[in-house]
Amino acid sequence: IESPLLVTIVAIVHYNQRPLPDERAELYEKCVDVLLEERYKPASETTFALTDWGGSLAEKRSLLAALAFQMMSAGEQAGRSVSERQLEAWLRPYLARKRGEAEVDVALSSFIAAMRERGSLLEERGGDYRFLHLTFQEYLCAYHLAEQVRELDKIVVFLSDEARLAQSWWRETILLVVGYLGLRSQENALSLVRRLASSDSDEATALAASEVAASAFLELNSKDA
C-alpha cells in the first residue's frame, strides 16, 4: 500500500479489527465495511442514527458493487468517474428489483444523498462521482462478479469477452475475484484459476490469462494443484 489515504484506512481497520487479514480481498472487504459503517468517526447517537441512511450496509455494498461493475465495464478511459444522471440510470434497475417501482425513486435519491453527504466510498466533484480509490472500484467489481454473476462459467465468459483477460485495467479485479472466492471456498477459487489458465482465446489473450491465473493462484497461497 503506497497511498497515504489507503494507509490511513488500513490503520483504521487495524484499530477496529486487529490483527490485519493476510489476504488482500479480505482486507479490502473490511476496509469497505469500515467506511460504510463509518467506524472511523466517534460513536454517538447521531452516527448510529445515520448508519442506515441510504440503505442497509448490505444494500449499499451491493449498489456500490453494481456501480463498480458498470464503471469497470465502461473501460479505462470512461470508467473512472460517472455523472449523477448515468449513476441513476445504472442503479435504478437494481433498486427497482429489490424495492419495487413504488419505492425506487426515494431509495435511489436517499442512496445518492448519503454517498454525497457522508463522503465514504464515493466522492462527488462537480456533479461527477468516483470511488475514493480505484482499488475499491476494482474490489467491489470483483465482489459483484462473485456474488451476483456467481456461476464460474459466466464469470469466465465475461472476463474472456472483449479480451478483458489481457487488459491491465481488469488485472486487479481478476486477482481479487479469485481471492474473494477463496475466502468462501478454496475449491471454487481453484476451479476458476484452472478455467482461466485453460482459456481457448487467441494466443496473446490465452498467454495473458495463464499469467494472471498463475498470479491469482500464488495469492491464494494454496497447496492444491
Side-chain angles (χ1 to χ4, degrees):
I1 295 176
E2 298 174 353
S3 161
L5 173 64
L6 286 182
V7 170
T8 302
I9 294 169
V10 169
I12 294 168
V13 171
H14 177 60
Y15 178 80
N16 282 278
Q17 304 284 335
R18 65 179 88 204
L20 286 173
D22 292 326
E23 302 292 338
R24 286 196 309 145
E26 185 177 6
L27 176 60
Y28 295 141
E29 179 180 41
K30 293 187 181 300
C31 286
V32 165
D33 287 350
V34 161
L35 288 170
L36 286 178
E37 292 181 329
E38 300 191 28
R39 296 181 204 156
Y40 54 93
K41 297 180 180 177
S44 67
E45 290 185 10
T46 302
T47 55
F48 288 141
L50 290 171
T51 298
D52 289 334
W53 184 26
S56 66
L57 172 63
E59 187 172 56
K60 284 184 285 193
R61 188 195 297 115
S62 294
L63 286 173
L64 287 167
L67 177 62
F69 173 77
Q70 294 287 357
M71 291 175 71
M72 290 299 297
S73 298
E76 187 170 3
Q77 297 302 314
R80 293 181 180 271
S81 66
V82 60
S83 68
E84 185 167 318
R85 183 176 180 180
Q86 182 62 72
L87 185 154
E88 290 176 344
W90 278 340
L91 295 188
R92 199 178 194 286
Y94 291 96
L95 268 173
R97 287 196 295 270
K98 184 174 180 62
R99 296 288 192 98
E101 288 293 337
E103 297 183 25
V104 65
D105 290 331
V106 171
L108 185 55
S109 295
S110 176
F111 170 78
I112 293 174
M115 294 299 102
R116 181 175 59 243
E117 301 299 331
R118 302 302 292 172
S120 56
L121 277 163
L122 281 184
E123 56 182 0
E124 183 265 338
R125 295 181 182 177
D128 288 340
Y129 292 78
R130 66 169 58 209
F131 280 90
L132 199 60
H133 195 280
L134 182 60
T135 297
F136 294 125
Q137 182 174 317
E138 292 166 332
Y139 163 73
L140 284 164
C141 180
Y143 172 89
H144 180 86
L145 288 170
E147 292 290 347
Q148 297 300 319
V149 178
R150 296 183 69 88
E151 295 179 28
L152 298 185
D153 287 340
K154 291 182 179 180
I155 293 174
V156 172
V157 167
F158 174 79
L159 293 175
S160 299
D161 192 26
E162 299 182 15
R164 292 186 178 97
L165 288 170
Q167 297 174 21
S168 59
W169 175 247
W170 283 95
R171 179 181 174 79
E172 283 301 308
T173 294
I174 296 169
L175 295 176
L176 288 169
V177 74
V178 173
Y180 182 86
L181 287 172
L183 298 175
R184 275 73 186 167
S185 167
Q186 280 278 311
E187 181 181 350
N188 283 344
L190 289 169
S191 180
L192 180 57
V193 166
R194 294 189 191 102
R195 294 178 197 212
L196 293 175
S198 59
S199 170
D200 58 358
S201 303
D202 61 85
E203 185 175 349
T205 302
L207 180 61
S210 296
E211 188 279 327
V212 76
S215 296
F217 176 77
L218 291 175
E219 285 201 13
L220 278 175
N221 197 26
S222 173
K223 295 181 181 179
D224 295 326

